[in-house]
Amino acid sequence: MTRADTLSRARRLDRPELAYLVRFPTADGIRETQLTWAELARDTDWATARLREHGLAAGQRALLTASGFEGFWGHAVIGALRALKVTYGIAEAMGWDHRRTSVFHRELRPHAVIGLSAETLEGLAGTADIKEMFRATPVILARPAAVPMLRAVGVAAGLFSALGPALALECPERSGAHVNAAEWRVGERDGQLFLAAGEQRTSLLPETPLGIAGRVVAGRCACGSEDPRVLFAEARADQPL
């Protein structure tokens, strides 16, 4: 039996609805929620549309910096890159792997770098000129603590962040990081963000304070999206995604 035959038979097997058990930090400690394959497929479709807005298309290359434990949202981003037929490389988001980020960036010459962390930038700063390295990269989507570091040297980075089990991704308008309104309800109370599962989400999540300072902007964005946008109150250390 060939590998192709094995994979073909595997695709016909029944599989449970549960794709991931997601653990994420909140204002009251670590919380868990479920993620089904159907929800993951919808998350992937949403991420695909958002990355397409940034001009990602077939034949381009991208670099994703992510950690293995971030698989529940990394899977959606990887699925989006595959759907767009974008060749991608993956480097660890921890600072100790900054050299791989440097090598991939040099060899791939990516159209987009997604998920840059402050730890990676701190590691790169000892061996490279951050502005020179990233200024010619068309799309930089970085985590909240990394965005001000990049903008301070003239790199026009957009936001890319976990928001509990949700993903927040800034559009080219740079007016806040969008959250999928069809799947999540995001809001603020006393300057702190909270998240709850939306009506389409079968994995239940009651209103949960995230312990993240920020505010939410409602209404239509200049990009045309009706999804709410999150504005973080200040740079914060990257939380586990």
Side-chain angles (χ1 to χ4, degrees):
M1 181 180 291
T2 67
R3 181 172 182 272
D5 292 332
T6 301
L7 291 174
S8 177
R9 292 191 180 188
R11 293 190 188 98
R12 294 196 295 270
L13 294 174
D14 292 334
R15 68 178 180 182
E17 292 184 5
L18 182 63
Y20 285 93
L21 182 62
V22 179
R23 304 183 78 242
F24 60 97
T26 73
D28 302 315
I30 299 299
R31 190 182 181 95
E32 293 183 350
T33 188
Q34 296 182 348
L35 173 65
T36 68
W37 288 107
E39 291 166 342
L40 183 56
R42 296 197 301 270
D43 292 343
T44 300
D45 289 343
W46 182 83
T48 301
R50 301 291 76 74
L51 293 182
R52 185 180 289 114
E53 290 173 349
H54 282 280
L56 270 73
Q60 294 176 343
R61 295 178 291 274
L63 171 61
L64 171 65
T65 61
S67 298
F69 65 86
E70 299 172 335
F72 64 90
W73 67 255
H75 193 294
V77 177
I78 289 171
L81 293 173
R82 289 175 174 171
L84 295 168
K85 294 181 171 55
V86 173
T87 300
Y88 64 91
I90 301 177
E92 171 62 55
M94 300 297 182
W96 50 261
D97 201 35
H98 67 274
R99 293 186 185 277
R100 182 157 52 159
T101 295
S102 179
V103 170
F104 272 142
H105 191 271
R106 182 179 68 245
E107 298 299 325
L108 282 174
R109 294 184 180 180
H111 180 85
V113 178
I114 303 169
L116 269 178
S117 69
E119 292 176 335
T120 295
L121 292 178
E122 288 166 357
L124 290 170
T127 59
D129 182 325
I130 298 299
K131 178 178 181 179
E132 184 64 24
M133 182 174 178
F134 292 114
R135 67 184 176 88
T137 304
V139 179
I140 302 287
L141 296 172
R143 303 171 194 236
V147 168
M149 298 170 66
L150 289 162
R151 291 179 178 174
V153 296
V155 177
L159 278 164
F160 176 88
S161 178
L163 201 64
L167 181 64
L169 202 160
E170 196 163 26
C171 71
E173 295 295 328
R174 298 291 192 270
S175 56
H178 290 275
V179 179
N180 187 356
E183 301 290 329
W184 304 103
R185 182 169 60 87
V186 61
E188 61 180 273
R189 186 171 291 110
D190 299 326
Q192 300 290 310
L193 300 175
F194 67 80
L195 186 78
E199 293 182 359
Q200 292 191 21
R201 212 78 180 175
T202 56
S203 298
L204 301 180
L205 181 70
E207 186 175 300
T208 302
L210 298 174
I212 299 172
R215 63 187 182 92
V216 176
V217 179
R220 189 178 184 86
C221 176
C223 73
S225 173
E226 298 285 354
D227 287 335
R229 287 160 281 148
V230 171
L231 298 172
F232 296 101
E234 59 185 20
R236 59 187 175 88
D238 292 335
Q239 64 178 37
L241 298 183

